[in-house]
């Protein structure tokens, strides 16, 4: 077997750590308070989907939302990583979607339950190809956009993140060990909304990368 490369991080089976409510305008559009420390949740590696495969609406949801986000790919493991050296742990980036079953999330929130059903289903984490670190000299100056069927839904700069990429790496590594091949989704700007079967989602980072996914519906599981 050849040596594996972090440039194909989605094949490593490592964890996907997501940050929520990291843009004030998005927190406001969902009527959430601004966080005083990062809001974290996880997706399993089975959530990954690459261009050429479809995003599947879970059979238990009728309100699947898009959330375009900057993903940070870890190149070096660490625990309790100091803020000053956090960026040394970054191998590169990826354009990511945090697909969210909003109706299910709303029910979970109302009952005080975890968001697993809403956020961690198969195909809930579409990702672009690996973006080498040099292509994004400053993760606080990344212009994200997302269109559905050619209509712009989201456009936002990572300059508006509440918690910066180095802060997130340092904070998360104080909660759980970070490993090579892990991916951190850093939160979405405003403009999230529903997608339906047969829709086409295009997303991009200005001057860096773009990707396209079709939406399909997952057949319900028959016992
Ligand atoms: O609290 C809510 O209603 C929703 C929060 C999210 O879905 C958080 C994110 O995933 C995000 O802000 O990117
Ligand atoms: Mg999100």
């Amino acid at each position: 077997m050849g040596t594996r490369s972090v440039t194909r991080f989605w094949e490593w089976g490592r964890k996907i750590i997501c940050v929520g409510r990291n843009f004030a305008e998005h927190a406001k559009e969902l009527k959430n308070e601004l966080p005083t420390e990062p809001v974290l949740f996880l997706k399993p590696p089975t959530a990954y989907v690459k261009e050429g495969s479809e995003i599947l609406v879970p059979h238990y949801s009728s309100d699947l939302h898009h959330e375009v986000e900057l993903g940070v790919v870890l190149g070096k493991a660490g625990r309790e990583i100091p803020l000053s050296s956090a960026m040394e742990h970054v191998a590169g980036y990826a354009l990511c979607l945090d697909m969210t079953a909003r109706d299910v999330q709303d029910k979970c929130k109302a009952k005080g339950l975890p968001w697993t059903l809403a956020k961690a289903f198969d195909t809930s984490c579409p990702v672009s190809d690996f973006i080498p670190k040099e292509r994004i000299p400053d993760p606080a100056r990344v212009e994200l956009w997302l269109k559905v069927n050619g209509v712009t839904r989201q456009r936002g700069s990572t300059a508006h993140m509440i918690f910066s990429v180095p802060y997130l790496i340092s904070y998360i590594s104080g909660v759980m060990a970070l490993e090579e091949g892990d991916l951190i989704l850093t939160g979405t700007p405003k403009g999230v909304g529903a997608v339906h079967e047969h829709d086409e989602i295009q997303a991009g980072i200005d001057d860096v990368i773009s990707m396209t996914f079709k939406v399909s519906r997952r057949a319900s599981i028959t016992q």
Side-chain angles (χ1 to χ4, degrees), residues 57-65 100-104 117 121 217:
V57 184
H59 63 86
Y60 50 81
S61 173
S62 55
D63 192 21
L64 181 65
H65 276 204
T100 303
R102 196 70 70 198
D103 47 351
V104 179
L117 268 69
F121 54 89
R217 181 158 270 279

Side-chain angles (χ1 to χ4, degrees), residues 82-102:
L83 191 57
S84 57
S85 56
M87 291 306 290
E88 293 168 19
H89 292 256
V90 176
Y93 301 91
L95 176 63
C96 305
L97 304 183
D98 169 16
M99 299 306 298
T100 303
R102 196 70 70 198

